[in-house]
Amino acid sequence: THCLYINSLSLSVFHSSPSICNACLVLLMAASDSVADAATEAAGYSAAWDILYSFVPSMLCKTAVLLGIPDIIAKAGASATLTVEQIAAELPSERPDLNALSRILRFLACKGILTLSSSVENAEGSELRFGLTEAARFFVVHDNPETLSPFLLLKLDETFQTPWHRFDECVLEGGDPFQKAHGKDQWSFMAENAHLNGVFNAGMASLTAVVMQPIFEFYDGFKDIHSLVDVGGGTGQALSYIVKAFPQIQAINFDLPHVVATAPNIPGVRHVGGNMFESVPSADAVYLKTVLHNWDDEGCRQILLNCHKAMPPHGRLIITEMVIDEANLSSPIEQRKLEMDLAIVAHTVKGRERTEEQWRQLLSSAGFTNVEIYGIECLYSVVEAFTA
């Protein structure tokens, strides 16, 4: 109001007195600066609150997944919208809390995770209805090979969340956040915890399902391969897609014994237990998907040297990893990569996401040549190299 008054005053006196007009302009400029400062402060305040509560969307997505809400809506139809009462009727509870449920759904709609619409159902007024956005469809579990729900449950599992609370200690003292939180490194801890091992394998398998199709669309290096070993292949999910797309490949899924012990039978895939730091089964080509980011350069070099030994001359190494573009860190995609980089710190401490130059130097140090990097339509890239 004051600014509008000063603005009007300055205009009204402009023609009658230049000196008075100048004084008014000074006041106007001061008021404008004050408004700008207030707007800047308000923006900073809002950004600070965004940081304070940035955990809420992911935690409520986890709640929605555990309740099966995306599947409840999807079951009603591809473009279905449901009321709070209709969703509540499908929950595994005789007396669900409609108040809590409605507030959760309202927030998820506010964040663009669910759609929100209203319809006049009766004389009492309109009812809110909720549907699935494209983002929410990745959290539908049933009949959805690209679901990310298991990966969400992995990342938000209490065991994997706790190390984040020990970051300050690691900065001051060094060490592994996971080990500080749980007394053992991640891999040793999972080897003794069947439930967590299952959560981890399911999460990584769901991520694999989303990543593999873009790889096949943008990279054709699998078509000439006859034998392939997937090092650190988990339960064989990546190989199941590879041998289906390229049935000529004789595949070996290689991982720690307690991991492959839970692997399903996959036609065309042989599961082998072992330790990649000691040796790797022989094959024409080696595949490493999201393995090397768990280790420092020294650890990666040892793995790569064992891979090199397992391949014949001119053998092909295929790596799926993130490649950080430090010249474009403000982009949303690069920010997701930096988030993953810190997740690696939380869970492995020695690992890291790498830049293109860092990948080239690492592969060269292990004797690989002709390095090519192929970008695909997701966060990951395909890094290809050959034995001499």
Side-chain angles (χ1 to χ4, degrees):
T1 303
H2 295 306
C3 294
L4 291 174
Y5 172 75
I6 293 172
N7 189 38
S8 299
L9 178 62
S10 65
L11 291 174
S12 66
V13 301
F14 179 80
H15 296 290
S16 61
S17 174
S19 61
I20 296 177
C21 178
N22 290 338
C24 290
L25 287 176
V26 170
L27 291 174
L28 179 60
M29 292 175 63
S32 298
D33 289 343
S34 177
V35 171
D37 290 344
T40 300
E41 182 179 354
Y45 184 74
S46 177
W49 276 94
D50 284 344
I51 294 169
L52 288 172
Y53 283 94
S54 60
F55 66 91
V56 175
S58 58
M59 292 305 298
L60 288 186
C61 276
K62 177 181 178 179
T63 299
V65 166
L66 292 175
L67 292 173
I69 290 172
D71 282 270
I72 289 171
I73 299 174
K75 183 180 177 182
S79 58
T81 60
L82 301 180
T83 65
V84 174
E85 290 76 11
Q86 289 172 325
I87 293 172
E90 299 296 322
L91 297 177
S93 170
E94 294 182 2
R95 299 179 61 186
D97 187 333
L98 294 183
N99 177 53
L101 177 61
S102 65
R103 290 156 73 178
I104 290 169
L105 294 172
R106 180 180 65 180
F107 179 85
L108 292 175
C110 171
K111 299 300 288 187
I113 299 166
L114 296 178
T115 66
L116 175 63
S117 58
S118 61
S119 61
V120 178
E121 297 290 341
N122 50 52
E124 297 179 0
S126 62
E127 286 187 299
L128 296 181
R129 305 183 68 87
F130 300 90
L132 299 179
T133 63
E134 287 305 311
R137 296 183 195 283
F138 281 98
F139 300 113
V140 174
V141 176
H142 180 70
D143 197 26
N144 181 15
E146 293 188 339
T147 181
L148 283 173
S149 285
F151 193 66
L152 174 76
L153 297 179
L154 164 63
K155 289 302 175 183
L156 296 182
D157 185 277
E158 288 185 35
T159 301
F160 285 96
Q161 282 287 299
T162 305
W164 289 90
H165 297 280
R166 310 300 287 270
F167 260 38
D168 57 328
E169 298 175 29
C170 295
V171 171
L172 296 173
E173 306 166 0
D176 182 339
F178 194 97
Q179 188 159 5
K180 286 181 179 291
H182 301 297
K184 296 181 179 180
D185 67 79
Q186 174 183 316
W187 314 112
S188 300
F189 192 87
M190 287 197 304
E192 299 175 1
N193 188 312
H195 170 73
L196 190 65
N197 185 54
V199 170
F200 181 85
N201 289 336
M204 295 309 297
S206 75
L207 181 62
T208 296
V210 174
V211 170
M212 292 310 296
Q213 188 56 44
I215 290 176
F216 296 152
E217 291 176 4
F218 289 87
Y219 176 74
D220 65 357
F222 291 105
K223 63 179 174 43
D224 299 322
I225 294 173
H226 297 287
S227 63
L228 175 71
V229 56
D230 185 355
V231 176
T235 56
Q237 185 77 359
L239 283 180
S240 70
Y241 289 98
I242 292 172
V243 297
K244 183 177 180 179
F246 305 96
Q248 84 282 358
I249 293 178
Q250 296 179 346
I252 298 172
N253 179 51
F254 182 64
D255 212 311
L256 294 169
H258 74 270
V259 176
V260 297
T262 63
N265 181 43
I266 302 173
V269 176
R270 180 164 60 95
H271 299 293
V272 176
N275 187 333
M276 61 188 175
F277 288 100
E278 298 174 357
S279 65
V280 169
S282 297
D284 295 338
V286 169
Y287 185 46
L288 287 157
K289 185 186 74 65
T290 59
V291 171
L292 297 178
H293 71 172
N294 292 313
W295 307 98
D296 59 13
D297 287 354
E298 181 180 352
C300 288
R301 193 172 296 108
Q302 184 59 52
I303 296 169
L304 290 169
L305 287 171
N306 287 336
C307 292
H308 198 292
K309 294 176 184 177
M311 287 188 285
H314 312 296
R316 189 191 308 260
L317 175 70
I318 305 170
I319 299 169
T320 299
E321 290 280 7
M322 293 182 181
V323 178
I324 293 177
D325 180 4
E326 290 188 321
N328 196 27
L329 294 182
S330 62
S331 75
I333 289 180
E334 296 306 314
Q335 290 173 23
R336 299 295 83 77
K337 294 177 184 179
L338 296 183
E339 290 166 353
M340 182 62 80
D341 181 58
L342 288 171
I344 293 298
V345 176
H347 300 144
T348 69
V349 82
K350 292 183 177 181
R352 66 183 304 169
E353 304 296 349
R354 293 174 168 86
T355 65
E356 177 175 341
E357 182 58 29
Q358 288 169 334
W359 278 115
R360 292 185 181 279
Q361 291 178 2
L362 178 61
L363 291 166
S364 176
S365 71
F368 289 94
T369 62
N370 299 324
V371 177
E372 294 288 345
I373 297 179
Y374 301 86
I376 57 180
E377 286 189 349
C378 65
L379 294 173
Y380 295 88
S381 297
V382 173
V383 182
E384 180 188 64
F386 295 85
T387 57

